[in-house]
Amino acid sequence: MLAVFCFSTIWAIFAVNFISMSSTINPEYLKQQRNEITEYVIYRKLSKLSKDEENTKILLDIANDEKKHYDFWKSVTGTDVEADKRQVKKYLMLAKLFGLSFSLRLMERGEEGASQFYDSIAADLPGVVSIKEDEELHEQQLISILNDERLNYAGAIVLGLNDALVEFTGTLAGLTFAFGNNKIIGVTGLVMGVAASLSMAASGYLASQEDEREELNPVKSAAFTGIAYILTVAFLVFPYLIQDDPYIALGGMLVASVLIIAAYTYYISVAKNVKFSRRFSSMVAISLGVAVLSFGIGLLVKQVFNVDM
């Protein structure tokens, strides 16, 4: 009986001390600690997926830094935390779909608020100064030298996407006013799109042959250009195939063009770490400007030749 009483007393004292100790841990410290171990796991997993030896080395170097940061926070909190499995799955999926650079730079953007937090606690925890330097400089420098195939072919994608947007926003707008028949406009747009995508793929192939960069494969460059072109055309033509009113379809096509520009510009702005607004506004201005000019041309053609379909 005495032994049971002693054991219960010791356990109660331990529980009270543990709860008291846990309650004194700054939740922000635990949050940073969890971020570090999560990024460590992400970098480790990405290094195993990478087929490029230099990329593997870079990712492992970054992972080692994150592990050091985690160990620092562990010494502060005195406790272990687990990686955020949902975040790990999210960034692995993004890397597979959009490339290493996009996934890693998006992850780094999520850490922008950490710099201010480090400044606020630097007086109490001087060790965070070196962590801040790593986060702001070392990792960014390492990420910038990744060999990302998708970014290597960004020029080929832009060639196909830009040409499709500029040509087909104008073409479809002109056809809308000239014909006014969505089925004819949609089918005509698709036929022209397929032919033009093949032509653009050929142009991409020839252009890449003149490019002196060894990492560019002419066949892949042509494929990226052609696929970007035909997918863009498909999105632009789609409203005409599901809508009878030509002017509603025209509005849907213009909205689709803006969304395509926004999506691609966002991807490039993240992956290449450049500003979004300037690229987005210039591409929108060019595409919609051509569409507006084509409206007038199509209306003029309809009036002059008395086309009514």
Side-chain angles (χ1 to χ4, degrees):
M1 189 72 176
L2 180 61
V4 173
F5 174 77
C6 291
F7 176 78
S8 300
T9 302
I10 294 172
W11 175 253
I13 294 172
F14 171 78
V16 169
N17 289 335
F18 178 78
I19 294 172
S20 176
M21 180 184 68
S22 298
S23 64
T24 61
I25 299 177
N26 188 323
E28 286 296 324
Y29 294 176
L30 290 173
K31 178 183 176 181
Q32 292 300 322
Q33 185 180 352
R34 191 180 194 196
N35 287 343
E36 302 295 355
I37 195 62
T38 299
E39 292 185 3
Y40 166 73
V41 173
I42 291 172
Y43 289 127
R44 293 283 297 183
K45 286 184 176 294
L46 289 178
S47 71
K48 294 178 181 178
L49 291 177
S50 176
K51 298 178 181 179
D52 186 285
E53 292 184 4
E54 187 62 27
N55 282 354
T56 300
K57 181 180 181 302
I58 292 170
L59 293 168
L60 288 175
D61 286 342
I62 300 177
N64 290 334
D65 283 342
E66 298 296 348
K67 184 60 167 62
K68 292 175 184 176
H69 300 165
Y70 170 78
D71 290 336
F72 168 81
W73 286 114
K74 181 180 177 180
S75 69
V76 172
T77 63
T79 185
D80 281 311
V81 296
E82 294 184 352
D84 187 332
K85 294 181 180 179
R86 291 179 63 183
Q87 291 294 309
V88 172
K89 291 179 180 179
K90 170 186 171 181
Y91 287 107
L92 285 178
M93 180 185 70
L94 288 174
K96 291 177 181 178
L97 291 175
F98 303 113
L100 288 172
S101 293
F102 178 83
S103 180
L104 297 179
R105 288 207 181 277
L106 189 63
M107 187 163 62
E108 289 301 315
R109 283 190 175 190
E111 293 297 313
E112 288 178 353
S115 180
Q116 295 179 348
F117 174 68
Y118 291 145
D119 289 337
S120 68
I121 63 172
D124 298 326
L125 295 173
V128 300
V129 175
S130 63
I131 294 179
K132 178 184 174 182
E133 291 174 352
D134 281 346
E135 297 286 358
E136 293 182 349
L137 298 174
H138 186 52
E139 292 172 9
Q140 286 290 329
Q141 291 171 348
L142 289 175
I143 291 172
S144 68
I145 61 175
L146 284 173
N147 180 26
D148 193 335
E149 182 180 60
R150 289 171 178 80
L151 285 185
N152 290 336
Y153 292 98
I157 296 172
V158 169
L159 178 63
L161 185 143
N162 279 354
D163 274 36
L165 283 171
V166 173
E167 290 177 14
F168 274 83
T169 51
T171 298
L172 293 173
L175 291 175
T176 299
F177 279 92
F179 296 154
N181 185 310
N182 280 12
K183 297 301 180 184
I184 293 176
I185 296 169
V187 171
T188 302
L190 282 178
V191 172
M192 292 175 63
V194 172
S197 67
L198 294 174
S199 174
M200 286 303 302
S203 298
Y205 177 83
L206 295 174
S208 64
Q209 283 190 319
E210 301 300 323
D211 198 314
E212 296 180 356
R213 289 181 295 171
E214 294 181 358
E215 68 270 18
L216 292 183
N217 182 301
V219 175
K220 284 188 177 181
S221 183
F224 275 109
T225 299
I227 291 172
Y229 194 103
I230 193 61
L231 287 179
T232 302
V233 170
F235 278 110
L236 295 178
V237 169
F238 184 68
Y240 289 92
L241 300 178
I242 63 170
Q243 175 58 241
D244 292 329
D245 190 310
Y247 299 107
I248 293 178
L250 175 62
M253 182 271 291
L254 294 177
V255 170
S257 68
V258 173
L259 292 176
I260 292 169
I261 293 170
Y264 184 74
T265 306
Y266 178 73
Y267 168 76
I268 289 296
S269 69
V270 172
K272 291 194 172 184
N273 200 27
V274 296
K275 287 188 177 181
F276 171 87
S277 56
R278 182 179 297 178
R279 284 172 174 261
F280 175 72
S281 58
S282 63
M283 287 184 70
V284 168
I286 292 171
S287 295
L288 297 188
V290 170
V292 170
L293 290 174
S294 298
F295 290 166
I297 295 172
L299 185 60
L300 180 63
V301 169
K302 186 171 184 177
Q303 294 296 325
V304 171
F305 294 99
N306 195 26
V307 178
D308 189 12
M309 300 182 71

Short mmCIF file of all heavy atoms in Angstrom, two decimals, residues 29 32 69 72-73 76 114-115 117-135:
data_model
loop_
_atom_site.label_atom_id
_atom_site.label_comp_id
_atom_site.label_asym_id
_atom_site.label_seq_id
_atom_site.Cartn_x
_atom_site.Cartn_y
_atom_site.Cartn_z
N TYR A 29 8.23 28.97 -30.93
CA TYR A 29 9.45 28.17 -31.01
C TYR A 29 9.14 26.78 -31.56
O TYR A 29 9.87 26.26 -32.42
CB TYR A 29 10.11 28.03 -29.63
CG TYR A 29 10.64 29.32 -29.05
CD1 TYR A 29 11.18 29.35 -27.76
CD2 TYR A 29 10.62 30.51 -29.76
CE1 TYR A 29 11.69 30.52 -27.21
CE2 TYR A 29 11.11 31.69 -29.22
CZ TYR A 29 11.64 31.68 -27.94
OH TYR A 29 12.14 32.84 -27.40
N GLN A 32 8.45 27.00 -35.31
CA GLN A 32 9.67 27.08 -36.11
C GLN A 32 10.39 25.74 -36.14
O GLN A 32 10.93 25.33 -37.16
CB GLN A 32 10.59 28.16 -35.54
CG GLN A 32 10.07 29.58 -35.71
CD GLN A 32 9.87 29.96 -37.16
OE1 GLN A 32 10.66 29.59 -38.03
NE2 GLN A 32 8.81 30.69 -37.45
N HIS A 69 19.20 23.49 -37.99
CA HIS A 69 18.24 24.46 -37.45
C HIS A 69 17.28 23.76 -36.49
O HIS A 69 16.94 24.29 -35.43
CB HIS A 69 17.45 25.12 -38.57
CG HIS A 69 18.30 25.87 -39.55
ND1 HIS A 69 17.84 26.27 -40.79
CD2 HIS A 69 19.61 26.27 -39.48
CE1 HIS A 69 18.81 26.90 -41.42
NE2 HIS A 69 19.89 26.90 -40.66
N PHE A 72 18.91 23.05 -33.20
CA PHE A 72 18.99 24.26 -32.39
C PHE A 72 17.68 24.47 -31.63
O PHE A 72 17.68 24.70 -30.41
CB PHE A 72 19.29 25.48 -33.26
CG PHE A 72 19.10 26.79 -32.54
CD1 PHE A 72 20.10 27.27 -31.70
CD2 PHE A 72 17.93 27.52 -32.68
CE1 PHE A 72 19.92 28.47 -31.01
CE2 PHE A 72 17.74 28.71 -32.01
CZ PHE A 72 18.75 29.18 -31.17
N TRP A 73 16.57 24.40 -32.36
CA TRP A 73 15.28 24.62 -31.71
C TRP A 73 14.96 23.52 -30.70
O TRP A 73 14.33 23.78 -29.66
CB TRP A 73 14.16 24.71 -32.76
CG TRP A 73 14.17 25.99 -33.51
CD1 TRP A 73 14.43 26.18 -34.83
CD2 TRP A 73 13.92 27.29 -32.99
NE1 TRP A 73 14.37 27.49 -35.17
CE2 TRP A 73 14.05 28.22 -34.05
CE3 TRP A 73 13.60 27.76 -31.71
CZ2 TRP A 73 13.87 29.58 -33.88
CZ3 TRP A 73 13.42 29.13 -31.54
CH2 TRP A 73 13.55 30.03 -32.61
N VAL A 76 16.42 24.37 -27.53
CA VAL A 76 15.70 25.45 -26.87
C VAL A 76 14.42 24.94 -26.21
O VAL A 76 14.13 25.26 -25.05
CB VAL A 76 15.36 26.57 -27.88
CG1 VAL A 76 14.43 27.62 -27.24
CG2 VAL A 76 16.62 27.23 -28.40
N ALA A 114 9.31 34.57 -41.20
CA ALA A 114 10.25 34.07 -40.19
C ALA A 114 11.35 35.08 -39.90
O ALA A 114 11.85 35.16 -38.77
CB ALA A 114 10.86 32.74 -40.65
N SER A 115 11.75 35.88 -40.90
CA SER A 115 12.82 36.84 -40.71
C SER A 115 12.50 37.84 -39.62
O SER A 115 13.34 38.14 -38.75
CB SER A 115 13.09 37.57 -42.03
OG SER A 115 14.13 38.50 -41.89
N PHE A 117 10.39 37.41 -37.21
CA PHE A 117 10.34 36.69 -35.94
C PHE A 117 11.74 36.50 -35.36
O PHE A 117 11.97 36.70 -34.17
CB PHE A 117 9.67 35.33 -36.14
CG PHE A 117 9.70 34.45 -34.92
CD1 PHE A 117 8.97 34.77 -33.78
CD2 PHE A 117 10.48 33.30 -34.90
CE1 PHE A 117 9.00 33.96 -32.66
CE2 PHE A 117 10.52 32.49 -33.78
CZ PHE A 117 9.78 32.81 -32.66
N TYR A 118 12.70 36.16 -36.23
CA TYR A 118 14.09 35.99 -35.77
C TYR A 118 14.64 37.31 -35.20
O TYR A 118 15.33 37.32 -34.19
CB TYR A 118 14.98 35.52 -36.92
CG TYR A 118 14.69 34.10 -37.37
CD1 TYR A 118 14.79 33.75 -38.73
CD2 TYR A 118 14.32 33.12 -36.48
CE1 TYR A 118 14.52 32.46 -39.16
CE2 TYR A 118 14.04 31.83 -36.90
CZ TYR A 118 14.15 31.51 -38.24
OH TYR A 118 13.88 30.23 -38.66
N ASP A 119 14.32 38.41 -35.86
CA ASP A 119 14.78 39.72 -35.37
C ASP A 119 14.22 40.02 -33.99
O ASP A 119 14.91 40.59 -33.14
CB ASP A 119 14.37 40.83 -36.35
CG ASP A 119 15.15 40.78 -37.65
OD1 ASP A 119 16.26 40.22 -37.66
OD2 ASP A 119 14.65 41.31 -38.66
N SER A 120 12.97 39.62 -33.77
CA SER A 120 12.31 39.95 -32.50
C SER A 120 12.85 39.14 -31.33
O SER A 120 12.70 39.57 -30.18
CB SER A 120 10.80 39.73 -32.63
OG SER A 120 10.49 38.34 -32.77
N ILE A 121 13.47 37.99 -31.61
CA ILE A 121 13.95 37.15 -30.50
C ILE A 121 15.48 37.04 -30.47
O ILE A 121 16.02 36.29 -29.66
CB ILE A 121 13.34 35.73 -30.58
CG1 ILE A 121 13.79 35.02 -31.86
CG2 ILE A 121 11.83 35.78 -30.47
CD1 ILE A 121 13.40 33.56 -31.92
N ALA A 122 16.16 37.77 -31.37
CA ALA A 122 17.62 37.65 -31.46
C ALA A 122 18.32 38.02 -30.16
O ALA A 122 19.36 37.45 -29.83
CB ALA A 122 18.14 38.53 -32.60
N ALA A 123 17.76 38.97 -29.41
CA ALA A 123 18.38 39.38 -28.14
C ALA A 123 18.35 38.25 -27.13
O ALA A 123 19.29 38.07 -26.34
CB ALA A 123 17.67 40.62 -27.60
N ASP A 124 17.27 37.48 -27.12
CA ASP A 124 17.13 36.37 -26.17
C ASP A 124 17.81 35.10 -26.67
O ASP A 124 18.32 34.31 -25.86
CB ASP A 124 15.64 36.08 -25.91
CG ASP A 124 14.93 37.26 -25.28
OD1 ASP A 124 15.57 37.97 -24.48
OD2 ASP A 124 13.75 37.47 -25.60
N LEU A 125 17.79 34.90 -27.99
CA LEU A 125 18.38 33.69 -28.58
C LEU A 125 19.33 34.10 -29.71
O LEU A 125 18.96 34.11 -30.88
CB LEU A 125 17.28 32.77 -29.14
CG LEU A 125 16.30 32.15 -28.14
CD1 LEU A 125 15.20 31.41 -28.88
CD2 LEU A 125 17.02 31.21 -27.18
N PRO A 126 20.57 34.43 -29.38
CA PRO A 126 21.54 34.88 -30.39
C PRO A 126 21.76 33.86 -31.51
O PRO A 126 22.15 34.21 -32.63
CB PRO A 126 22.83 35.10 -29.59
CG PRO A 126 22.36 35.32 -28.19
CD PRO A 126 21.15 34.45 -28.03
N GLY A 127 21.51 32.59 -31.23
CA GLY A 127 21.73 31.54 -32.22
C GLY A 127 20.85 31.66 -33.45
O GLY A 127 21.17 31.11 -34.51
N VAL A 128 19.72 32.41 -33.34
CA VAL A 128 18.82 32.51 -34.48
C VAL A 128 19.40 33.40 -35.58
O VAL A 128 18.91 33.38 -36.72
CB VAL A 128 17.43 33.05 -34.06
CG1 VAL A 128 16.79 32.14 -33.04
CG2 VAL A 128 17.53 34.48 -33.56
N VAL A 129 20.41 34.19 -35.25
CA VAL A 129 21.02 35.07 -36.26
C VAL A 129 21.62 34.26 -37.40
O VAL A 129 21.43 34.56 -38.58
CB VAL A 129 22.09 35.98 -35.62
CG1 VAL A 129 22.80 36.80 -36.70
CG2 VAL A 129 21.47 36.89 -34.57
N SER A 130 22.34 33.21 -37.06
CA SER A 130 22.94 32.36 -38.09
C SER A 130 21.87 31.62 -38.87
O SER A 130 22.01 31.38 -40.09
CB SER A 130 23.92 31.37 -37.47
OG SER A 130 23.26 30.49 -36.58
N ILE A 131 20.76 31.24 -38.21
CA ILE A 131 19.66 30.57 -38.91
C ILE A 131 19.05 31.52 -39.93
O ILE A 131 18.77 31.14 -41.07
CB ILE A 131 18.59 30.09 -37.91
CG1 ILE A 131 19.15 28.99 -37.00
CG2 ILE A 131 17.36 29.58 -38.65
CD1 ILE A 131 18.17 28.49 -35.97
N LYS A 132 18.85 32.77 -39.51
CA LYS A 132 18.29 33.77 -40.41
C LYS A 132 19.18 33.95 -41.64
O LYS A 132 18.69 34.04 -42.78
CB LYS A 132 18.12 35.10 -39.69
CG LYS A 132 17.59 36.21 -40.57
CD LYS A 132 17.54 37.53 -39.84
CE LYS A 132 17.12 38.66 -40.80
NZ LYS A 132 17.11 39.98 -40.13
N GLU A 133 20.47 33.99 -41.43
CA GLU A 133 21.40 34.16 -42.55
C GLU A 133 21.31 32.98 -43.51
O GLU A 133 21.35 33.15 -44.74
CB GLU A 133 22.83 34.31 -42.02
CG GLU A 133 23.06 35.62 -41.28
CD GLU A 133 24.43 35.69 -40.64
OE1 GLU A 133 25.13 34.65 -40.66
OE2 GLU A 133 24.80 36.76 -40.14
N ASP A 134 21.21 31.78 -42.94
CA ASP A 134 21.06 30.59 -43.79
C ASP A 134 19.79 30.68 -44.62
O ASP A 134 19.78 30.40 -45.82
CB ASP A 134 21.02 29.32 -42.94
CG ASP A 134 22.40 28.90 -42.48
OD1 ASP A 134 23.39 29.43 -43.03
OD2 ASP A 134 22.50 28.06 -41.57
N GLU A 135 18.67 31.05 -43.95
CA GLU A 135 17.38 31.09 -44.63
C GLU A 135 17.38 32.12 -45.76
O GLU A 135 16.81 31.88 -46.83
CB GLU A 135 16.26 31.44 -43.63
CG GLU A 135 16.06 30.43 -42.51
CD GLU A 135 15.39 29.15 -43.00
OE1 GLU A 135 15.05 29.08 -44.19
OE2 GLU A 135 15.23 28.23 -42.19
#
